[in-house]
Amino acid sequence: SNQKALKKLGGPDGLLDLLETSLHDGISSASISERTGTFGANFTPSAPPPTFLSLLIDSVVEDATVQILIVSALVSLAVGVYDDPETGWIEGAAIIAAVVIVAFVTAGNDYQKEQQFRKLEDVAVSAKDVKVIRDGETHELSSKEVVVGDVVLLEPGDKIPADGVLMLCDAGGVVADESSLTGEIDGVEKANFDNSKTDPFVLSGCNVTSGSGHMVVVAVGRHSQWGVIKASLEKEQAQTPLQEKLDDMAAMIGYIGMAAAAATFIALMAIRFLALKNNTIDLSSDEGWFAAVLEAFIIAVTIVVVAVPEGLPLAVTISLAFSTKKMLKDNNLIRHLAACETMGNATNICSDKTGTLTENKMKVVDGVFGEVDFADAGTLSADVKTRVVECIANCSTASVESGTNHVIGNKTEGGMLLMLQSAEWKTERDYHQIRDASRFGEVGGGRIFPFSSEKKSMSVLVDVNASAAAANGGKKSTRGKQAAAASSSFRLYHKGAAERVLENCAFYTTKNGDVKKMTAAKKKAFNKYIHEYALRALRCIALAHRDDCQDDVDVHTIDGETCAEELEHGLTLDAIVGIADPLRPEVPGAIKVCQRAGITVRMVTGDNLETAVAIAKEAGIMTEDGIAMEGAEFRELTPAQLDEILPNLQVLARSSPNDKNILVQRLNGALLPEDEEAWKALHPLANWKKDKDKLLPGYVAEWKAARENGVGEVVGVTGDGTNDGPALKAADVGLSMGISGTDVAKDASDIVILDDNFTSIVKAVLWGRSVYDNIRKFLQFQLTVNVVALTITFVSSVGGYAPPLNAVMMLWVNLIMDTMGALALGTEKPTAALLLRQPYLRDSALVSKPMWRNILFQSAYQLILLLVLLFEGTAMFGDKFLRGDYCMNWKLSNGDKSYDLTAIGSLEVKEQYNGVGVIGSDLSAQSYYTTTETGDGTTCGDFYRVCGSDNNGECYQDNFASNYDTGFKSACLDNCAKTDYDYTHFTIIFNAFVWCQIFNEFNARQIKNDPNILSGIMQSKMFLLVIIVTVLFQIFVVELGGDWVRTTHIEFNYWAWSVLFGAGSIPVGLLMRLCPIWNEEDEESFFGYVMPS
């Protein structure tokens, strides 16, 4: 086994010698490069990201619409080449080219998103949150800087950065959560190597849930346990709720589009069948039927292309990727994408005090030491000073960086260590030497009982005789048998919340170091100090001791629970310390912003009630109608009683992590017991029938019944400690602290606040709202495009026209409106105005009433414009071009082959052309025409005699072409060469349609009633860039698209009219916002408390 192997190496001492390291001094910094070269770096490369090629393939394989387009393109290509080998391939090739462009753009966006998340992961890995000893000093490093031989200091909540062997640990050992490696949820006990069965090996990637100690690193990177299995744990980012909503909406719109496409196909085939029945077309040949079906199929596919809004999921991806990058600059590291948007609709923020609302720069500013005030501490006797200094040094795992005032570890403990550096408190030994002399973790040495959030205190057992011997010897540390042989006298040093420690004190220390009995009057006097400090918003910490503990318990085997029961009473009070942690100057303003935005801010703290209320009032959290209570009182409430005070509960003091968890559960209903079995697992000693409505946190059915819609609050919770994990998980958005937070808290959170500052949380709310509104802007824009394009395509097809917006045009529209529109509207920066409304309800509609009004107005304007251009466009522009895409020069294929022109129902030639008689309604007129009844029909060649052999397209259009005539064309004429088509009419319609979208993109920047669509436009550089690129590309497509897109060069006046028609969207946008219909969102869409005045 590993323990046997360690024993063969000579145990811990042999391992230390082999790795050339020391528990006290660590490794030498000079050996780092050699160690990295020999043992490797503590960095495991992530699984390789998907390649651009794989993402390109996925964009085709996973998109049914693209697959339909490819099939239709191939069919069109095959048929076109068969009919016209020279130019018939152009349409199919154009569709394929457009599909390739769309696929490349989609893959490019996915690739960029993947790269963005890799960068965010690198930021997380680079965080300096590992404490190691090097060259005898404590340093903070990132996990990837750890090397083999490093001595790492472990504390509760730390993530173990590498595989190692535990060398020193406190009384209860270390408990590690190895579930990430083994799947076992129970903690695994670890202890020093002492030839016992207890495991001394700690594994990378696991978390320390309790206990503290020193470990020596033995394996890093790919050689560690975490490195071996990391590749198999790679996970893709899950979709966010908003992405799922948009996927559902896109699917629904797609279904509607497919239904419209099917209806169009059926209608077109029905019209052709009726035309066949009335003898107005000839579909006798297989080619005729196939051409008719293919034409109807391509039109149906075009409608599908128009309808499916692939840009919706893309828009939220682009917006989230953009926002997460910007949020990182605002000190918000997004760990789960969903948190970004969810935070925007948060209705409650349950915030810690220390470091979040305050600066976390702890400084002792007042206190009473052995009955002497802080200002007179220099008059204390040596005995009192020694006890205070030893208590502070030993009851702490923090340290102060050499030569600076930078605290590594707990800031409260660091504040007291900084006090020891002042002249009044300097003693013969510094805090490092005092800790070394206590020999924590060694056999026969001192014992540490870590801070308990339940008791709000911690204790250590120290052999004061051994410590004194070390001091007299003048050594840094005492090791070995000589110290162990000295007569032992173990003292308990106890540090914690002042009022709780005072309750357990039966004695107090005087100025001269004498110990006197604690009287009621003296206790009242000490309580007065605590009360006065609390009113000044000072954190109150008491220091106490108890001598000769070896007479009462076995100090070498006692556990934390026994220590609390047997030793942490009858104490002697040595000092009460008042520690200032100034409120961050920007916090009161940030609190006001939250309250104005409909967000209730609550302070949940471990401080006593008076200190918490003083800070809360200074911050603006506590109002006149606000309620403040302590955790003990909170826990006694029934669910109904808690619900009653929840709207005004603003401060929860002396709270435990479980109190915070219960508060979150009652607010949002998360993780509540769902049935009797789950409730009993939470309350094993309670009776379901009698107690189910009495005990917190309640259960699901009761919680839903107590709320109008059964919908809970959206809760953001801050946390920094290991025990905050459950509350962070229960919250809709868990916010861990980047500086003071433990790794357990960070792993449980959704967002890491890198600077521990409440104002960064407000920025997270702002960005979340920005993401939500940006997606709605794009949705408003996209739905307008879809409604118009779908309707015009359907109407024109059923009305007998080829769709004015063909498949290739619509692919271009999809590209600029989906990808470019998503970039333009999805990357708009947030404005302060976003915080002037309440949060949206969890299940509120994405498309609000004002948005529907905007969509309908713009769609109506564009549809009227396009239909007028479709039916009256030729007349509007002086009949300078014919309607639709028409052939300018038809070629005969069958010369004078007999063909009965009477089959052409619309033929109305009123004059004699080149000897051809009158054909049409006036059959009684003089004529050379003879009917088929005489067996003497006219021929295909009569077409040239009527219309000429060159530039005959207009004559054909006027005299020979019926709406659905495929018979004469297929019997007598060759397919028109692509180069002989005139696309002017549909080019103008296409151009006007795109310019409508360009101008409507400005309208879409406002989703409510603000007429100022140019607000902040100069700050939206991406929006302006997209508009410029879209305009340039549109000019390119129109002027140079040719037979590929079926566009043609158009005159300047046609361009001017197209831009003018598009610009009409702007005044329509102004009018629609003045319309009294649907001008306000439903009040039911919003949530959040209205703050008490």
Side-chain angles (χ1 to χ4, degrees):
S1 70
N2 288 333
Q3 283 182 283
K4 287 181 179 178
L6 180 59
K7 189 176 180 181
K8 285 182 180 179
L9 290 174
D13 291 337
L15 179 64
L16 292 172
D17 291 341
L18 189 65
L19 295 177
E20 297 180 6
T21 187
S22 157
L23 274 181
H24 182 269
D25 296 326
I27 63 170
S28 166
S29 298
S31 67
I32 293 174
S33 58
E34 183 183 354
R35 292 172 187 271
T36 303
T38 304
F39 302 107
N42 194 32
F43 179 74
T44 306
S46 299
T51 63
F52 182 81
L53 180 61
S54 67
L55 291 171
L56 187 64
I57 295 171
D58 288 344
S59 69
V60 176
V61 172
E62 297 177 1
D63 193 329
T65 307
V66 170
Q67 294 165 15
I68 292 171
L69 285 170
I70 292 172
V71 171
S72 63
L74 293 174
V75 172
S76 176
L77 191 64
V79 173
V81 170
Y82 176 78
D83 282 347
D84 183 4
E86 290 186 13
T87 59
W89 57 273
I90 292 178
E91 182 174 353
I95 295 175
I96 290 175
V99 166
V100 168
I101 293 172
V102 170
F104 266 86
V105 170
T106 303
N109 275 296
D110 288 344
Y111 186 77
Q112 186 180 23
K113 180 190 74 172
E114 183 66 31
Q115 295 302 311
Q116 179 65 37
F117 286 125
R118 297 279 167 165
K119 287 179 182 177
L120 292 178
E121 285 179 359
D122 290 342
V123 171
V125 171
S126 300
K128 294 186 179 295
D129 52 9
V130 180
K131 294 180 283 294
V132 304
I133 299 174
R134 286 181 180 174
D135 303 317
E137 298 286 344
T138 303
H139 302 271
E140 285 183 311
L141 308 174
S142 67
S143 60
K144 62 184 181 182
E145 294 176 277
V146 172
V147 297
V148 170
D150 263 328
V151 176
V152 178
L153 309 182
L154 298 177
E155 294 181 15
D158 285 350
K159 176 171 279 187
I160 300 169
D163 291 355
V165 177
L166 199 61
M167 293 291 185
L168 294 176
C169 64
D170 57 37
V174 169
V175 178
D177 174 8
E178 296 185 351
S179 58
S180 58
L181 294 179
T182 66
E184 294 293 333
I185 59 174
D186 293 331
V188 180
E189 292 185 3
K190 308 286 181 177
N192 300 343
F193 178 79
D194 57 2
N195 296 317
S196 70
K197 293 182 180 180
T198 308
D199 183 7
F201 296 96
V202 286
L203 305 177
S204 55
C206 302
N207 294 305
V208 177
T209 56
S210 69
S212 58
H214 294 39
M215 65 165 267
V216 175
V217 175
V218 296
V220 296
R222 66 180 66 231
H223 304 295
S224 67
Q225 285 296 305
W226 179 246
V228 170
I229 68 169
K230 184 183 176 186
S232 64
L233 296 178
E234 292 286 338
K235 294 181 181 178
E236 293 184 2
Q237 284 278 342
Q239 279 200 316
T240 73
L242 186 56
Q243 282 175 317
E244 291 171 356
K245 274 186 182 180
L246 289 172
D247 278 350
D248 292 342
M249 179 170 283
M252 181 188 72
I253 296 170
Y255 294 144
I256 293 171
M258 283 187 272
T264 303
F265 181 83
I266 293 168
L268 289 176
M269 295 311 299
I271 290 170
R272 280 156 176 73
F273 180 77
L274 291 173
L276 174 64
K277 202 170 183 181
N278 295 329
N279 296 318
T280 58
I281 62 171
D282 177 16
L283 293 179
S284 58
S285 66
D286 290 341
E287 290 85 353
W289 271 110
F290 184 75
V293 171
L294 179 63
E295 182 186 359
F297 176 73
I298 289 178
I299 291 172
V301 169
T302 303
I303 288 177
V304 172
V305 174
V306 171
V308 177
E310 305 94 335
L312 292 182
L314 180 63
V316 73
T317 299
I318 289 174
S319 187
L320 285 170
F322 171 79
S323 299
T324 51
K325 185 176 180 181
K326 295 293 184 182
M327 289 175 76
L328 189 58
K329 293 182 179 178
D330 284 338
N331 294 306
N332 286 270
L333 173 63
I334 307 300
R335 298 187 69 254
H336 302 123
L337 266 185
C340 181
E341 66 196 50
T342 307
M343 197 63 200
N345 288 322
T347 60
N348 278 254
I349 297 175
C350 299
S351 175
D352 287 338
K353 176 184 76 71
T354 304
T356 308
L357 300 175
T358 61
E359 294 181 352
N360 204 18
K361 294 178 179 177
M362 303 291 187
K363 182 180 181 182
V364 178
V365 296
D366 212 337
V368 55
F369 305 87
E371 296 186 292
V372 174
D373 287 337
F374 179 67
D376 300 322
T379 64
L380 286 171
S381 68
D383 285 345
V384 177
K385 187 179 291 187
T386 298
R387 282 200 287 269
V388 170
V389 170
E390 288 189 358
C391 184
I392 291 173
N394 286 312
C395 286
S396 170
T397 56
S399 59
V400 179
E401 202 169 79
S402 179
T404 71
N405 285 337
H406 174 64
V407 173
I408 299 174
N410 184 280
K411 305 302 180 185
T412 303
E413 294 176 353
M416 290 189 283
L417 291 178
L418 288 172
M419 181 189 79
L420 300 188
Q421 294 183 350
S422 62
E424 296 88 346
W425 290 99
K426 284 206 172 177
T427 57
E428 293 180 4
R429 296 180 296 167
D430 63 22
Y431 71 92
H432 284 299
Q433 294 168 317
I434 293 171
R435 287 180 190 170
D436 289 341
S438 298
R439 300 169 53 236
F440 292 118
E442 292 188 26
V443 176
R447 307 286 305 282
I448 300 176
F449 303 95
F451 179 81
S452 163
S453 56
E454 294 290 337
K455 298 185 299 176
K456 304 295 180 189
S457 63
M458 72 169 293
S459 296
V460 296
L461 279 168
V462 176
D463 185 348
V464 290
N465 287 347
S467 180
N472 292 333
K475 296 178 183 178
K476 256 187 171 183
S477 61
T478 302
R479 296 284 187 264
K481 296 178 181 178
Q482 183 180 353
S487 60
S488 297
S489 176
F490 277 86
R491 175 180 291 163
L492 177 85
Y493 283 119
H494 187 66
K495 179 197 73 175
E499 71 275 16
R500 294 198 179 184
V501 173
L502 183 59
E503 284 298 316
N504 292 321
C505 288
F507 308 93
Y508 67 94
T509 301
T510 67
K511 174 182 177 179
N512 298 320
D514 298 331
V515 174
K516 291 189 176 180
K517 188 172 179 61
M518 181 76 70
T519 62
K522 202 65 183 175
K523 183 170 287 189
K524 185 177 180 180
F526 284 126
N527 270 317
K528 186 178 178 182
Y529 278 111
I530 296 171
H531 178 69
E532 289 175 354
Y533 295 161
L535 290 179
R536 291 162 52 194
L538 301 183
R539 171 169 285 188
C540 303
I541 304 294
L543 309 176
H545 76 275
R546 173 172 174 161
D547 284 323
D548 297 321
C549 296
Q550 74 280 355
D551 297 338
D552 301 309
V553 296
D554 184 347
V555 293
H556 301 299
T557 60
I558 188 175
D559 58 23
E561 188 175 344
T562 307
C563 177
E565 292 174 358
E566 300 293 333
L567 299 180
E568 292 177 3
H569 58 82
L571 303 172
T572 300
L573 181 69
D574 294 315
I576 297 174
V577 180
I579 302 174
D581 184 13
L583 190 72
R584 292 181 184 269
E586 64 273 19
V587 162
I591 298 292
K592 283 184 180 178
V593 169
C594 284
Q595 292 169 346
R596 177 63 186 84
I599 303 170
T600 302
V601 182
R602 309 171 195 270
M603 180 197 289
V604 184
T605 178
D607 276 341
N608 73 36
L609 188 61
E610 290 170 325
T611 303
V613 169
I615 287 284
K617 285 181 176 178
E618 187 180 351
I621 293 174
M622 192 73 182
T623 63
E624 290 182 7
D625 300 327
I627 295 173
M629 66 169 53
E630 289 193 340
E633 182 185 356
F634 175 85
R635 291 187 284 274
E636 295 301 315
L637 298 174
T638 66
Q641 288 171 335
L642 178 53
D643 286 347
E644 188 178 342
I645 66 167
L646 266 182
N648 292 328
L649 179 60
Q650 294 165 358
V651 176
L652 186 58
R654 286 293 182 232
S655 64
S656 68
N658 192 48
D659 294 337
K660 185 190 288 189
N661 190 30
I662 288 172
L663 177 62
V664 174
Q665 289 177 306
R666 288 311 298 179
L667 286 169
N668 68 1
L671 305 181
L672 287 170
E674 294 187 5
D675 50 31
E676 181 178 350
E677 184 179 351
W679 188 91
K680 284 182 175 178
L682 198 61
H683 308 287
L685 302 179
N687 183 284
W688 164 255
K689 289 185 179 179
K690 291 181 181 179
D691 301 324
K692 64 180 180 180
D693 293 321
K694 296 179 181 178
L695 298 179
L696 290 170
Y699 54 97
V700 171
E702 164 270 325
W703 181 86
K704 286 185 176 179
R707 280 147 184 81
E708 248 180 75
N709 311 326
V711 177
E713 306 275 350
V714 178
V715 185
V717 172
T718 70
D720 54 11
T722 302
N723 291 332
D724 287 326
L728 292 169
K729 284 290 186 186
D732 296 279
V733 181
L735 302 148
S736 64
M737 301 296 107
I739 298 173
S740 61
T742 63
D743 286 316
V744 171
K746 291 174 186 175
D747 285 345
S749 67
D750 304 293
I751 299 176
V752 180
I753 307 299
L754 298 177
D755 61 351
D756 290 15
N757 194 332
F758 187 85
T759 55
S760 297
I761 299 173
V762 179
K763 289 175 184 175
V765 174
L766 182 64
W767 276 106
R769 292 192 176 189
S770 177
V771 167
Y772 194 80
D773 275 17
N774 285 350
I775 299 308
R776 298 175 92 205
K777 290 174 186 177
F778 177 74
L779 190 57
Q780 175 176 276
F781 171 69
Q782 175 75 63
L783 288 178
T784 303
V785 178
N786 282 47
V787 168
V788 174
L790 188 66
T791 306
I792 195 70
T793 305
F794 180 81
V795 170
S796 63
S797 301
V798 176
Y801 294 89
L805 305 174
N806 61 55
V808 180
M809 287 178 180
M810 284 317 305
L811 281 170
W812 161 239
V813 170
N814 260 20
L815 184 66
I816 62 170
M817 301 311 153
D818 282 6
T819 304
M820 306 289 276
L823 275 171
L825 296 170
T827 57
E828 290 262 86
K829 292 183 179 178
T831 63
L834 291 172
L835 297 174
L836 298 180
R837 64 163 172 81
Q838 287 180 291
Y840 284 109
L841 199 62
R842 281 176 182 270
D843 54 356
S844 61
L846 272 175
V847 184
S848 64
K849 284 183 177 180
M851 289 171 66
W852 278 122
R853 176 203 62 194
N854 299 348
I855 291 167
L856 293 175
F857 265 79
Q858 289 293 338
S859 298
Y861 166 72
Q862 293 182 26
L863 278 173
I864 292 169
L865 170 67
L866 296 183
L867 289 172
V868 169
L869 288 175
L870 179 64
F871 293 110
E872 300 297 330
T874 55
M876 286 173 62
F877 292 104
D879 293 317
K880 292 183 179 180
F881 49 84
L882 293 183
R883 191 162 59 190
D885 292 343
Y886 75 95
C887 180
M888 296 181 292
N889 192 31
W890 288 101
K891 302 294 183 186
L892 278 178
S893 61
N894 286 312
D896 285 336
K897 179 183 176 182
S898 176
Y899 187 84
D900 184 4
L901 292 180
T902 58
I904 304 174
S906 64
L907 191 63
E908 295 180 356
V909 179
K910 299 299 183 183
E911 298 179 18
Q912 183 175 340
Y913 289 102
N914 298 326
V916 178
V918 175
I919 301 173
S921 58
D922 190 6
L923 295 179
S924 62
Q926 183 181 2
S927 166
Y928 293 94
Y929 171 77
T930 54
T931 67
T932 54
E933 292 176 2
T934 65
D936 214 7
T938 50
T939 67
C940 293
D942 290 334
F943 170 71
Y944 273 180
R945 287 189 280 275
V946 172
C947 295
S949 59
D950 292 313
N951 296 319
N952 53 30
E954 187 171 354
C955 176
Y956 170 80
Q957 195 81 5
D958 292 340
N959 298 296
F960 285 81
S962 67
N963 284 344
Y964 300 104
D965 173 35
T966 57
F968 171 71
K969 187 166 65 177
S970 61
C972 296
L973 304 178
D974 275 331
N975 281 329
C976 186
K978 296 288 183 185
T979 53
D980 285 338
Y981 269 102
D982 181 3
Y983 302 122
T984 304
H985 186 201
F986 283 175
T987 299
I988 292 172
I989 292 176
F990 168 61
N991 202 28
F993 174 69
V994 170
W995 277 101
C996 281
Q997 311 322 316
I998 291 172
F999 282 100
N1000 192 39
E1001 210 156 352
F1002 287 88
N1003 277 320
R1005 295 185 71 240
Q1006 297 291 349
I1007 54 178
K1008 295 182 181 176
N1009 294 316
D1010 187 353
N1012 186 6
I1013 59 175
L1014 298 179
S1015 174
I1017 191 73
M1018 298 312 295
Q1019 282 72 49
S1020 298
K1021 294 179 182 177
M1022 181 61 75
F1023 181 92
L1024 295 173
L1025 179 62
V1026 166
I1027 294 295
I1028 292 169
V1029 170
T1030 304
V1031 169
L1032 293 176
F1033 266 88
Q1034 179 62 14
I1035 295 171
F1036 174 84
V1037 168
V1038 168
E1039 294 295 322
L1040 301 175
D1043 298 319
W1044 289 83
V1045 190
R1046 293 191 188 177
T1047 57
T1048 189
H1049 163 73
I1050 55 176
E1051 299 172 8
F1052 176 77
N1053 65 312
Y1054 296 158
W1055 271 104
W1057 278 108
S1058 298
V1059 175
L1060 187 62
F1061 290 146
S1065 296
I1066 301 298
V1068 170
L1070 180 62
L1071 288 172
M1072 73 190 183
R1073 288 183 170 88
L1074 298 175
C1075 177
I1077 302 172
W1078 289 357
N1079 58 353
E1080 295 294 337
E1081 293 190 70
D1082 287 333
E1083 290 186 8
E1084 291 79 11
S1085 297
F1086 297 102
F1087 206 36
Y1089 294 129
V1090 178
M1091 290 299 298
S1093 59

